[in-house]
Amino acid sequence: MSGDVIELPDVGLGTYRNTDPRECTETVRTALELGYRHVDTAEGYHNEEYVGDGLAAAEIPRDEVVVATKVSADNLAYDDVHEHARASAERLGVDAIDLLYVHWPLGAYDPEDTLRAFDELRDEGLIRHVGLSNFTPDLLDEARERLDAPIAAHQVEMHPLLQQEDLVAYAREHDHALVAYSPIARGKVFDVPALQRIAEKHDATPAQVSLAWLAGKEGVVAVPKATGDHLAENLAAADLELDPEDVADVEAIDREERVVDIARAPWNR
Ligand SMILES: NC(=O)c1ccc[n+]([C@@H]2O[C@H](COP(=O)([O-])OP(=O)(O)OC[C@H]3O[C@@H](n4cnc5c(N)ncnc54)[C@H](OP(=O)(O)O)[C@@H]3O)[C@@H](O)[C@H]2O)c1
């Protein structure tokens, strides 16, 4: 993993709300041993230390794993970005963070100051790639103008109930990865008849169908949060090949339904 392009596997591991020290450490260790190579956290998830412990316990070569974290909206002032990125790296127990995101373009986010700090962190080698999360196309345009670094990834909510065609098209046009968060809509995909039908046809689950649909989209990867048996189930979804008619049926579902509260989001004002 070097240079400007980040390689992300189809299915990574989300860790939001995995805050129990033992469970989080064990989940990350197990996930890495099962074959996960992308772990997504955030300073705001209050588990970076446990994610780091899991990473250390798994004994997977460090350069094979993408460790991603995020700076919270309130900590995006220039000096704070430097300070908080360093603190995240320390908690994670890594010399460099592979992918550091602006978590939300809110709070102390200032395109010039925030992104200057991100560029500097990359020049110093504390972070390898710059990511943005919860941006709109206009805010992405503005960020691209300010940043020297390329945007490696844009992370947004995406699943069969929220298909994000415009942001997928934007990501392809500007050559960054689209990382789908809440990719199984926090379980809501289990209630969708079309997904139940496709799952039955492939002897799979609606979660796997959702992840396979995301994985099948060029430039899109997913970070489902999982524990226990769900870890292997979700990883196996990357090998599930949907038929063209299945893809058409998933794409007919779109209901613009979000699971993450975006009351403060820039496109909602
Ligand atoms: N950038 C942002 O603003 C942002 C916002 C939200 C999320 N995220 C990231 O995206 C990750 C995923 O999103 P999310 O946690 O909101 O939602 P999600 O991944 O769509 O759903 C997680 C929930 O689904 C369950 N689950 C996972 N796999 C399953 C399976 N195969 N069958 C049945 N249930 C399953 C999990 O339970 P178990 O734990 O019991 O497996 C958990 O309760 C987060 O953890 C975080 O890393 C980022």
Side-chain angles (χ1 to χ4, degrees):
M1 208 174 24
S2 64
D4 284 346
V5 176
I6 192 163
E7 279 176 39
L8 296 171
D10 287 335
V11 176
L13 178 69
T15 64
Y16 179 50
R17 291 196 278 206
N18 196 341
T19 49
D20 177 79
R22 272 177 68 179
E23 183 178 45
C24 184
T25 299
E26 193 52 24
T27 299
V28 171
R29 184 186 68 77
T30 306
L32 291 168
E33 287 172 356
L34 285 169
Y36 282 81
R37 289 295 179 267
H38 173 201
V39 182
D40 183 78
T41 182
E43 61 172 350
Y45 299 172
H46 306 292
N47 63 7
E48 288 173 313
E49 198 182 328
Y50 321 137
V51 168
D53 288 345
L55 189 64
E59 293 181 14
I60 305 289
R62 175 67 191 91
D63 63 358
E64 287 183 15
V65 184
V66 175
V67 177
T69 190
K70 314 182 189 80
V71 183
S72 300
D74 289 343
N75 303 325
L76 291 168
Y78 173 83
D79 287 338
D80 289 345
V81 171
H82 277 275
E83 197 182 305
H84 284 255
R86 230 159 277 287
S88 283
E90 207 162 296
R91 282 190 294 269
L92 287 161
V94 297
D95 295 332
I97 294 165
D98 301 299
L99 176 58
L100 184 71
Y101 291 96
V102 171
H103 202 150
W104 285 86
L106 293 169
Y109 178 67
D110 174 90
E112 189 173 337
D113 291 348
T114 302
L115 299 177
R116 183 160 52 90
F118 270 69
D119 270 331
E120 288 170 1
L121 288 170
R122 185 166 169 274
D123 291 343
E124 286 167 23
L126 187 78
I127 71 173
R128 296 205 169 95
H129 296 280
V130 173
L132 304 175
S133 183
N134 299 302
F135 277 52
T136 60
D138 284 351
L139 288 166
L140 288 169
D141 282 343
E142 179 184 52
R144 282 191 307 109
E145 270 171 37
R146 302 282 177 173
L147 276 169
D148 290 334
I151 297 168
H154 182 213
Q155 184 175 132
V156 290
E157 180 175 340
M158 181 175 171
H159 43 70
L161 300 176
L162 183 70
Q163 302 199 2
Q164 303 280 29
E165 286 96 343
D166 56 339
L167 293 174
V168 173
Y170 189 104
R172 286 181 188 153
E173 186 185 342
H174 297 287
D175 220 17
H176 59 248
L178 199 293
V179 178
Y181 77 61
S182 308
I184 61 169
R186 296 188 175 159
K188 280 194 180 176
V189 296
F190 281 87
D191 303 330
V192 180
L195 297 175
Q196 292 167 351
R197 221 170 30 245
I198 300 166
E200 205 167 309
K201 173 177 158 191
H202 291 278
D203 197 17
T205 66
Q208 290 179 311
V209 171
S210 303
L211 296 171
W213 171 73
L214 289 163
K217 287 196 164 292
E218 192 200 322
V220 177
V221 302
V223 284
K225 181 264 181 187
T227 52
D229 291 346
H230 295 153
L231 289 171
E233 178 181 327
N234 294 349
L235 196 60
D239 297 326
L240 170 61
E241 274 196 39
L242 299 179
D243 301 322
E245 61 269 26
D246 303 330
V247 173
D249 287 350
V250 174
E251 285 173 5
I253 291 171
D254 205 355
R255 297 190 214 144
E256 297 293 316
E257 197 174 319
R258 290 178 188 273
V259 296
V260 170
D261 178 14
I262 52 155
R264 293 193 312 143
W267 57 85
N268 203 37
R269 285 179 188 152

